[in-house]
Amino acid sequence: MFSRERIQLKTPDQVRHMRRAGLVVAQMHAALREAVAPGVTTAELDAVAAEVISRCGARSNFLGYHGYPATVCVSVNEEVVHGIPGTRRLRAGDLVTFDCGAYVVDREGTQWHGDAAFTTVVGGTYRDPLDDLLDTTTHEALWAAVAAVATAVQGGASVRRGRLNVVGDAVEGVVEQVAENHGHRLGILRDYVGHGIGTQMHMPPDVLNYSVSRRGPRLRPGMVLAIEPMLTAGQPQVRELDDGWTVVTCDGSRAAQWEHTVAVLPAGVWVLTAPDGGAQGLEPFGLAPVVLA
């Protein structure tokens, strides 16, 4: 199951189990999109996500993880990641990121995990054009990175040559293009990155959101990656609050995160946490997901 780099490689059947978990996460996203509104507390939204997991017969992979006390991470405005749900009431114009996870258990008792995040604006109207630019760019960076992986592995033989570095190159390329077009450079977090996922929520390899000169691991069929660009409207430096979880920008600028769990297959990718497998997100790049029956 593991390569020499200790990266877990999944069989097609195992990828199908991860698709089950991914669809639970997708249902969590749908329920949260419907429930988020001015005046709702972040704890009430956590309860919405917990109900979906229970109804689907899955389990939370966030609750209790290293002591984390909730089902989802709800990060508001300058909170980048790992925001703990509580009594805070959302206001119109707040920029909110929901990071969600769940796992299912196969007949052998093995856990298979899904993990995905999205950012939304409370009330449907951005407070500032920069919020719109930040959210839109982060979303574009996610799909550019997924498309870069798909392109690297498409055609079978190229999977031996493509490397994981394409993710960081794609994210940085989108951010650079936005800076050129709009005259504003968004920050790319370096302290928090994507990861492998499978029988655990966090596994090798690290999935960097920025370009590096060193050679990354080869993309191989059976790899499953949580690709999750995290951008800030200002500088990328962050700090952790006294609660031991919530990460905020040092300069108080707002942040956004978008994430999907993506399976690498011999002829492309399957976005396990997207209901359509990634069809809509990949279509602008002239690509289509590879779906296992």
Side-chain angles (χ1 to χ4, degrees), residues 200-284:
Q200 301 175 42
M201 182 165 57
H202 292 105
M203 308 184 75
D206 287 342
V207 182
L208 306 184
N209 294 313
Y210 49 89
S211 296
V212 292
S213 58
R214 67 181 182 273
R215 289 157 60 87
R218 287 188 177 90
L219 293 165
R220 293 185 172 91
M223 292 174 69
V224 184
L225 309 169
I227 299 175
E228 50 179 322
M230 291 161 271
L231 305 182
T232 68
Q235 297 300 310
Q237 288 77 23
V238 296
R239 62 185 179 88
E240 187 177 270
L241 298 185
D242 291 341
D243 64 17
W245 284 101
T246 307
V247 176
V248 301
T249 57
C250 291
D251 61 6
S253 62
R254 291 189 169 193
Q257 175 195 15
W258 283 83
E259 175 186 20
H260 271 305
T261 296
V262 181
V264 177
L265 301 176
V269 299
W270 190 10
V271 183
L272 302 180
T273 44
D276 65 358
Q280 184 176 359
L282 290 170
E283 191 276 334

Side-chain angles (χ1 to χ4, degrees), residues 75-140:
S75 304
V76 185
N77 297 332
E78 76 282 357
E79 297 172 353
V80 188
V81 290
H82 304 161
I84 300 175
T87 59
R88 180 175 187 166
R89 293 191 182 276
L90 297 178
R91 299 182 299 176
D94 281 343
L95 204 60
V96 185
T97 293
F98 295 97
D99 192 356
C100 305
Y103 70 89
V104 298
V105 180
D106 67 17
R107 292 180 180 178
E108 287 71 42
T110 303
Q111 298 178 8
W112 297 103
H113 291 254
D115 185 12
F118 72 96
T119 297
T120 190
V121 59
V122 179
T125 301
Y126 292 102
R127 185 194 67 176
D128 186 285
L130 184 54
D131 289 349
D132 189 356
L133 182 68
L134 170 66
D135 186 19
T136 300
T137 301
T138 310
H139 186 250
E140 290 177 356

Side-chain angles (χ1 to χ4, degrees), residues 19-38:
R19 173 61 166 171
R20 289 172 50 213
L23 289 176
V24 174
V25 176
Q27 289 188 55
M28 294 168 71
H29 282 196
L32 287 166
R33 288 183 187 278
E34 184 174 343
V36 65

